[in-house]
Amino acid sequence: MAFQIIRDSVMDNILIPGEQDQFRTVGHPLPLEGSEALLKNKRAVAFYYAEGDLTGGQEYEPYHDMIFYLELMVAANAQADLKVLEKEFPEALQNEAYSIALSNMQAAEYLADRLMDDLIAIVYQLVMKAENDELAIDRIEPSSGVRVHNRLITKIEKFPPESPGEQTVMKALLTLKCQAEEDIEGEEPLGEIGAGDSIIGEYEPYPPGAELE
Amino acid sequence: MSLLTRFKKDLVEIIDKDWGEPVILIGPDGHKQTQTADDETKSLKGILSRESVNIDPGTGFEAVVPEPVLILRLGSLTRVPKASEKWSVQAPPTPGSETLQSYTLSGPPEEGSTIGYINLPLRKVVQI
């Protein structure tokens, strides 16, 4: 179906080539636990089909309003100047050096929030790039016959940071909407033609006894 | 001997003699503590629980996650950590390790103050 072709195109032609070593792309919802194994450079993007509305009648191919989720996850550790905190100082200097290093410690929640904002900007620009208005299908897979319309990231939602382990993990959800026609396989069967049925456009014989001109 | 006194004596046995590992605390005022407050000839020790078993809300399955919690004897501390304070805790990343890993508090300490111990939930700190 068209949504599968679109899903694969976004994964293979937009997200994976756009990683630039800044995040890792996966094709399924991200689990919170065990997040460390999934993250590359502390950032991961999951892309998957979420839901769709199909409209159309018997005379037309169904039109599919699709919703895909771009699920973003980042992880951060607190940061401090460990070269100071793990060093021995003369007693007179020790308290001041350590207290300055501790007051400059950056909270993991703050760093996760900034990492997430950067990742949202990267992914938004990748998907909404002008040349990706048909989600790369027209450029890379035109033979699929799928035409994508009205591609738009309609919602960005950030969730509060969580700490499932040594790291602080933050998630966000980008909602991507688009439309495409769904091709139906097979051919509609024709009914049997009975006696007396007239076929439009076909030659109709003269009634019996009529004179030929 | 009262039950409370008995328990406090047991804590010394369990943490300072049997299961504890040497740890270093640096408070927000920069004071570094390496010895126990009640016997300055001995290293400050705590029990570091490094992992816990959580339920993954996405799958419902159990998952082992690194979630370090340091158990310290209140009597061994010169200053007790409080929520929202910035502390540095240095502890062995694996049992018996000679190098120390830097941690900070990941949440408010949980006190079992009536029986004399404190739990510090920790989070790894990395170099800026």
Side-chain angles (χ1 to χ4, degrees), chain B residues 21 29-30 32-34 36 44 52 55 62 68 77 83 90 92 94 97 107-108 112 122:
Chain B
E21 298 171 83
D29 56 357
K32 183 175 187 175
Q33 190 186 353
T34 54
T36 58
L44 176 66
S52 66
I55 302 295
E62 287 183 342
L77 300 176
Q90 292 166 28
T94 53
S97 167
L122 301 180

Side-chain angles (χ1 to χ4, degrees), chain B residues 35-122:
Chain B
Q35 269 88 37
T36 58
D38 45 7
D39 185 350
E40 291 197 351
T41 62
K42 291 180 179 166
S43 298
L44 176 66
K45 285 187 173 180
I47 295 175
L48 185 58
S49 156
R50 295 174 174 84
E51 288 164 341
S52 66
V53 178
N54 291 0
I55 302 295
D56 184 340
T59 62
F61 292 115
E62 287 183 342
V64 178
V65 293
E67 202 165 51
V69 177
L70 181 64
I71 304 164
L72 292 166
R73 201 164 50 79
L74 283 170
S76 68
L77 300 176
T78 52
R79 176 177 169 174
V80 179
K82 289 181 186 158
S84 80
E85 285 182 339
K86 288 182 175 176
W87 282 75
S88 171
V89 178
Q90 292 166 28
T94 53
S97 167
E98 289 185 4
T99 56
L100 298 179
Q101 163 74 48
S102 281
Y103 299 92
T104 189
L105 304 188
S106 67
E110 295 163 14
E111 262 189 76
S113 52
T114 51
I115 45 177
Y117 73 90
I118 187 169
N119 284 346
L120 303 180
L122 301 180

Side-chain angles (χ1 to χ4, degrees), chain A residues 78 82 86 88 163 165-166, chain B residues 32 65-66 86 102 123 126-127:
Chain A
L82 298 181
E86 293 174 359
E88 292 292 334
S163 297
E166 286 180 318
Chain B
K32 183 175 187 175
V65 293
K86 288 182 175 176
S102 281
R123 179 182 297 146
V126 296
Q127 176 65 35

Side-chain angles (χ1 to χ4, degrees), chain A residues 13-14 125-140 148 151:
Chain A
N13 305 326
I14 297 178
Q125 294 298 345
L126 271 176
V127 176
M128 292 302 294
K129 211 187 262 185
E131 57 261 42
N132 288 337
D133 65 336
E134 289 206 35
L135 298 174
I137 290 178
D138 52 331
R139 287 187 286 118
I140 297 167
V148 180
R151 160 227 54 173

